[in-house]
């Protein structure tokens, strides 16, 4: 069992804020349940970096059953907080501890701005999941992502820094508790230091950054730029963390 930095009675969001206030870097591993067998997931859970503070579970096209199986297995093997990172409302399962209640702010498709969220309400009301409203901003990482294909939206070019800052602030002003800058799974280029610094300077809520972060050196660079929580998926699967 992994006991380090486990959550207890305190809400996940409150604990996150306390860690940020104490200047403790936060680190999450993202598991896509569609891509993992139970045996492989079990192996990977044994290899979690000791500095892992959160686990995210989700993918653009995973099913509810796949998500439920993955969450149950993770909960058996670790006491770290498990957050759903859903690509569709049907992925919601009450076995997790909480959910990043995502709105894809970088796209103009109402399906992922509000319609998916409305469809999720009945499931969420019937669960005890901690709901954390999150503004999700897709940044061009050098290749088309599954999120772009599924959501039928385009990532924002990295040179449009002010546009990205404006979207992040619009998210905060509309009540989001987190801003998530995402370059996409296996991105060729992670979110730039310039973007991270500019967004961090503008917002007053925690900043999550993910996508294309391939090694500890890049991880530290992302933290130094202002990320409060960094998410890694593909690089962990490939053994780089």
């Amino acid at each position: 069992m992994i006991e380090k930095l486990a959550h207890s009675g305190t809400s996940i969001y409150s604990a996150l804020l306390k860690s940020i206030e104490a200047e403790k870097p936060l680190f999450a591993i993202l598991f896509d349940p569609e891509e993992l067998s139970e045996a492989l997931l079990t192996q990977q859970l044994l290899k979690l970096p000791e500095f892992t503070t959160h686990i995210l579970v989700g993918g653009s096209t995973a099913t509810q059953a796949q998500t439920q199986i993955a969450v149950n297995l993770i909960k058996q093997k670790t006491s770290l907080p498990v957050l759903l990172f859903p690509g569709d409302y049907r992925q919601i399962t009450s076995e997790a501890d909480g959910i990043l209640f995502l709105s894809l702010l970088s796209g103009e498709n109402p399906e992922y701005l509000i319609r998916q969220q409305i469809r999720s309400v009945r499931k969420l009301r019937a669960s005890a999941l901690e709901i954390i409203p999150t503004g999700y901003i897709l940044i061009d990482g050098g290749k088309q992502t599954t999120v772009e294909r599924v959501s039928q939206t385009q990532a924002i070019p990295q040179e449009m820094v002010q546009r990205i800052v404006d979207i992040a602030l619009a998210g905060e002003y509309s009540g989001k508790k987190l801003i998530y800058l995402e370059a996409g799974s296996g991105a060729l280029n992670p979110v730039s230091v310039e973007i991270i610094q500019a967004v961090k300077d503008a917002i007053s809520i925690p900043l999550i950054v993910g996508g294309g972060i391939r090694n500890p050196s890049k991880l530290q660079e992302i933290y130094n730029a202002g990320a409060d929580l960094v998410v890694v998926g593909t690089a962990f699967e490939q053994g780089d963390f």
Side-chain angles (χ1 to χ4, degrees), residues 186-241:
L188 300 177
N189 307 306
V191 180
S192 73
V193 166
E194 181 185 6
I195 292 170
I196 298 169
Q197 289 176 336
V199 171
K200 182 61 178 178
D201 287 345
I203 64 175
S204 61
I205 55 178
L207 178 62
I208 305 175
V209 178
I213 302 165
R214 293 187 173 83
N215 54 61
S217 175
K218 177 57 69 173
L219 173 66
Q220 190 58 53
E221 185 178 305
I222 299 296
Y223 281 131
N224 291 343
D228 297 303
L229 190 158
V230 177
V231 180
V232 169
T234 302
F236 169 70
E237 294 171 8
Q238 296 174 346
D240 296 327
F241 280 87

Side-chain angles (χ1 to χ4, degrees), residues 116-214:
Q116 282 282 325
Q117 293 79 359
I118 293 171
R119 292 187 181 102
S120 73
V121 166
R122 292 187 183 182
K123 283 190 171 187
L124 292 176
R125 288 186 68 183
S127 79
L129 291 169
E130 180 177 340
I131 301 167
I132 307 175
T134 303
Y136 189 54
I137 304 175
L138 193 61
I139 311 297
D140 185 7
K143 69 174 189 179
Q144 188 184 46
T145 65
T146 304
V147 175
E148 288 180 273
R149 292 195 299 271
V150 172
S151 67
Q152 298 181 1
T153 64
Q154 292 185 332
I156 302 176
Q158 298 227 18
E159 60 267 22
M160 297 181 68
V161 179
Q162 189 57 55
R163 171 72 173 168
I164 295 167
V165 169
D166 290 347
I167 294 171
L169 277 172
E172 178 176 354
Y173 294 164
S174 63
K176 306 305 181 192
K177 293 185 176 180
L178 299 171
I179 294 296
Y180 193 142
L181 301 178
E182 170 72 280
S185 176
L188 300 177
N189 307 306
V191 180
S192 73
V193 166
E194 181 185 6
I195 292 170
I196 298 169
Q197 289 176 336
V199 171
K200 182 61 178 178
D201 287 345
I203 64 175
S204 61
I205 55 178
L207 178 62
I208 305 175
V209 178
I213 302 165
R214 293 187 173 83

Side-chain angles (χ1 to χ4, degrees), residues 56-68:
L56 303 186
V57 180
S60 297
T61 55
T63 66
Q64 194 273 341
Q66 290 170 330
T67 305
Q68 186 175 37

Side-chain angles (χ1 to χ4, degrees), residues 71-136:
V71 169
N72 278 330
L73 185 57
I74 291 167
K75 295 289 289 180
Q76 292 172 20
K77 302 294 183 180
T78 173
S79 56
L80 294 172
V82 179
L83 289 162
L84 298 176
F85 179 64
D88 186 278
Y89 78 97
R90 285 165 289 202
Q91 296 173 13
I92 294 172
T93 176
S94 59
E95 283 79 6
D97 299 304
I99 180 172
L100 297 183
F101 194 57
L102 302 171
S103 291
L104 183 57
L105 301 181
S106 54
E108 297 181 358
N109 185 347
E111 180 67 22
Y112 295 91
L113 277 170
I114 190 61
R115 289 176 182 167
Q116 282 282 325
Q117 293 79 359
I118 293 171
R119 292 187 181 102
S120 73
V121 166
R122 292 187 183 182
K123 283 190 171 187
L124 292 176
R125 288 186 68 183
S127 79
L129 291 169
E130 180 177 340
I131 301 167
I132 307 175
T134 303
Y136 189 54

